């Protein structure tokens, strides 16, 4: 099997993803934060004013860097905001309940994101975990998810996915859930391995029609200057990058590091 995909990225307009873009994933730990930082870096290099919003940060009790800390370190966007932080490493709504803290209210988040949108060219909003994780409560007391935020704001969504075995099912489930809600969505691979195996090439070929980017594994550990210079090469023009041929990208990804 010729491992490199023939297809070029789906035709997109340069900078198509403007305004407000939600970043979700097929799961937790798939690379949402690193991908958010890469899109922010590429958009800023293209001259946009970028804000990054994390509505619900959980797991702060362990004292490690928050998602926004990592985005600031890697991409230094113009503005960053975390709207609520909870100690336990859980989905935001259960984390709020267990801590006896106020849960995130949907319209509070909608207002905060719109306020940043009025002041920036691009607002990236990073969810928590996957698409249907309970984020907080509506005025009715019902839980809301990132999918509800997307439909309420009427905005498009990037799904960050793994590159390896299992990703086709998780990605299809997430895209189907978004499609049935009428939310336009594309996919970015969070971490393409340095030594891809057959399964990675097969997944890449399957996902090419949806893909608007793929980050190399190790991107999150790069020195910030290198990260910012490299980010446009991982993203298609729709996301302010220069990646326009997966075959060329695959050849470069396969090169041993200099
Ligand atoms: N491209 C990448 N290069 C290096 N590390 C990565 C990459 N993508 C994800 N990681 C690592 O995997 C973990 C999860 O990534 P993160 O972006 O925080 O995922 P999420 O936001 O989806 O939970 C982190 O420890 C991060 O450093
Ligand atoms: Mg994250």
């Amino acid at each position: 099997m010729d491992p490199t995909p023939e297809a070029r990225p789906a035709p997109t307009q340069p900078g198509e993803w403007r305004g407000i873009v939600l970043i979700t994933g097929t799961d937790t730990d798939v690379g949402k934060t690193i991908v958010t930082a890469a899109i922010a870096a590429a958009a800023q290099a293209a001259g946009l004013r970028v804000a990054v919003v994390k509505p619900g940060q959980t797991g702060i009790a362990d004292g490690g860097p928050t998602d926004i800390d990592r985005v600031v370190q890697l991409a230094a966007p113009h503005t960053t905001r975390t709207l609520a932080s909870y100690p336990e490493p859980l989905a935001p709504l259960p984390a709020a309940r267990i801590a006896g803290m106020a849960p995130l209210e949907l319209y509070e988040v909608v207002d905060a994101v719109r306020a940043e949108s009025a002041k920036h060219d691009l607002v990236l909003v990073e969810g928590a975990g996957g698409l249907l994780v309970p984020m907080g409560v509506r005025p009715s007391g019902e839980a809301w998810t990132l999918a509800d935020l997307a439909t309420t704001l009427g905005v498009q969504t990037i799904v960050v996915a793994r590159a390896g075995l299992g990703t086709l099912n998780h990605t299809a489930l997430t895209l189907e859930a978004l499609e049935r809600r009428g939310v336009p969505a594309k996919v970015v691979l969070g971490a393409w391995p340095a030594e891809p195996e057959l399964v990675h090439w097969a997944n890449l070929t399957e996902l090419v029609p949806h893909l608007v980017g793929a980050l190399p594994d190790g991107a999150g550990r790069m020195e910030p200057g290198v990260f910012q210079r490299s980010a446009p090469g991982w993203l298609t023009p729709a996301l302010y990058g220069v990646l326009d041929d997966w075959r060329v990208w695959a050849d470069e990804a396969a090169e041993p590091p200099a």
Side-chain angles (χ1 to χ4, degrees), residues 32-33 54 67 70 126-127:
K32 292 185 300 292
T33 303
K54 178 83 183 181
D67 285 2
R70 297 175 67 217
E126 185 191 340

Side-chain angles (χ1 to χ4, degrees), residues 69-163:
D69 290 340
R70 297 175 67 217
V71 168
V72 167
Q73 191 228 338
L74 286 170
H78 193 271
T79 301
T80 55
R81 288 186 66 187
T82 300
L83 303 183
S85 300
Y86 303 108
E88 301 295 340
L90 303 169
L93 179 55
R97 290 204 165 124
I98 277 172
M101 294 168 71
L104 280 165
E105 286 185 25
L106 176 59
Y107 295 98
E108 215 177 279
V109 175
V110 166
D111 289 347
V113 171
R114 285 198 177 130
E116 297 309 329
S117 180
K119 292 181 276 186
H120 298 84
D121 303 304
L122 180 67
V123 182
L124 302 172
V125 183
E126 185 191 340
L131 181 67
L132 299 184
V133 151
M135 295 289 296
V137 290
R138 296 164 177 274
S140 65
E142 253 184 303
W144 62 272
T145 68
L146 207 73
D148 297 318
L149 185 62
T151 54
T152 306
L153 286 165
V155 300
Q156 38 198 0
T157 298
I158 294 290
V159 176
V160 181
R162 294 201 167 91

Side-chain angles (χ1 to χ4, degrees), residues 221-237:
R221 294 182 293 275
M222 285 178 172
E223 185 270 313
V226 176
F227 183 89
Q228 289 162 30
R229 282 193 297 281
S230 307
W234 306 327
L235 302 167
T236 67

Side-chain angles (χ1 to χ4, degrees), residues 9-12 16-17 21-24 156-161 171 174-175 178 183-189 207-213 236 238-239:
T12 47
E16 186 183 308
W17 291 65
V21 175
L22 306 194
I23 315 291
T24 189
Q156 38 198 0
T157 298
I158 294 290
V159 176
V160 181
T171 304
T174 305
L175 290 177
L178 287 163
V183 178
K186 289 284 182 190
V187 175
V188 174
L189 296 181
L207 292 173
V208 154
H210 305 286
L211 275 189
V212 286
T236 67
L239 286 176

